[in-house]
Amino acid sequence: MAIEYSIYDVFTDKRLEGNPLAVMYDADGLDDKTMQAIAREMNLSETVFIRKSDNPAYAASLRIFTPGGELPFAGHPTVGAAVALGERNPNGGDVDMVCVLEENVGPVRCAIRLRKDAPGFAEFDLPRKSSRIELPLDRAKLADALGVSEGNIGFENHQPSIWTAGVPFLLVPLHNISTIREMDFDPQLWERSAPLVEGRLAACYVYCRGGVNHTAKFHARMFSPEMGIAEDPATGSAAAALSGAIHHFDGLSDGHYPFMIEQGVEMGRPSFIHLHIDVKAGDIFRARIGGSAVRVAHGTMDI
């Protein structure tokens, strides 16, 4: 059996930057074991499998796998798959379309913009509002796992906390970019210090204000031993979780707030995630994640 696939670099408009994604087309005939094996073979942070949905109102059904297991939702596979589906539109030319993608977390509404000779862009409404998970956290042990001093954890009102918008992350604010760049993540110490959340070890997402790029509002890195990801160049689901922390710790008043989050800089794969938060009556009314995606390879896999 031969299955067609593409490789996209996501959350970037430049090839060989951003977060690589394998997009497997027409994957209806693949069982869970085979999809997991393909994800391990691709050895990227995520591989997305595009299948037909039983609901005719949905453009496709997505299954998302890391090398270590399946995810109910993830940002860069959603953006990459949306752009890939838009580019396979038989009408060609400029495309402005809205579609719904079915993921394990639920339906995800996406907007896609394609222009000739330009990278595609897609954004989606968060399928689930970010919510906080209250669990005890040991700052000293977290500092040891990150290879930083305990005094470098936290800035302004921001403190370590666990948030999820479909995938839980332990968000650790660090003092500044220098601290993030010089940190030394130890996966074994992390496994001893981070809690289990929804049956799995919480992934590590560190962040601070500012960025190497002057347009960035936050600078971030993500590590997940549980998912088989040593470090991720861009993590849309973590940015989705971060939306709750930003609203909570910064006390956002009613209005619209655009944020650019940069990630992957330390890996030589700079990525830029667009996060938009709308606050109404003191609470998050709506949040969106978006970014560019550019195809870098296409082929078939024999399985």
Side-chain angles (χ1 to χ4, degrees), residues 27 42 51 115 122 125 155 165 176 211:
M42 287 298 187
R51 300 149 66 98
R115 296 292 182 267
D125 295 330
F155 62 82
N176 54 29

Side-chain angles (χ1 to χ4, degrees), residues 24-171:
M24 315 301 294
Y25 303 103
D26 302 320
D28 301 85
L30 302 180
D31 59 23
D32 293 4
K33 182 178 179 181
T34 302
M35 287 188 284
Q36 184 62 75
I38 291 173
R40 286 196 299 267
E41 182 76 13
M42 287 298 187
N43 199 33
L44 300 175
S45 58
E46 279 124 354
T47 297
V48 61
F49 296 84
I50 298 180
R51 300 149 66 98
K52 294 177 182 176
S53 174
D54 293 333
N55 189 328
Y58 298 162
S61 175
L62 304 185
R63 298 283 298 277
I64 301 168
F65 287 80
T66 74
E70 186 173 10
L71 295 176
F73 159 72
H76 104 279
T78 301
V79 168
V83 170
L85 286 168
E87 290 184 343
R88 285 167 73 88
N89 188 319
N91 295 328
D94 291 350
V95 173
D96 289 282
M97 62 182 289
V98 175
C99 68
V100 178
L101 300 177
E102 183 180 28
E103 302 187 22
N104 286 350
V105 73
V108 181
R109 181 179 178 273
C110 301
I112 304 162
R113 183 177 72 243
L114 304 178
R115 296 292 182 267
K116 184 179 179 180
D117 299 325
F121 183 91
E123 65 178 3
F124 60 88
D125 295 330
L126 297 193
R128 185 184 300 173
K129 186 170 66 174
S130 179
S131 59
R132 188 171 184 176
I133 298 173
E134 297 283 359
L135 288 172
L137 300 173
D138 189 318
R139 292 170 62 98
K141 288 184 178 180
L142 292 178
D144 288 343
L146 300 179
V148 301
S149 67
E150 188 175 347
N152 278 324
I153 291 182
F155 62 82
E156 300 165 16
N157 293 328
H158 287 247
Q159 300 297 328
S161 54
I162 302 170
W163 295 81
T164 180
V167 179
F169 290 88
L170 201 173
L171 311 182

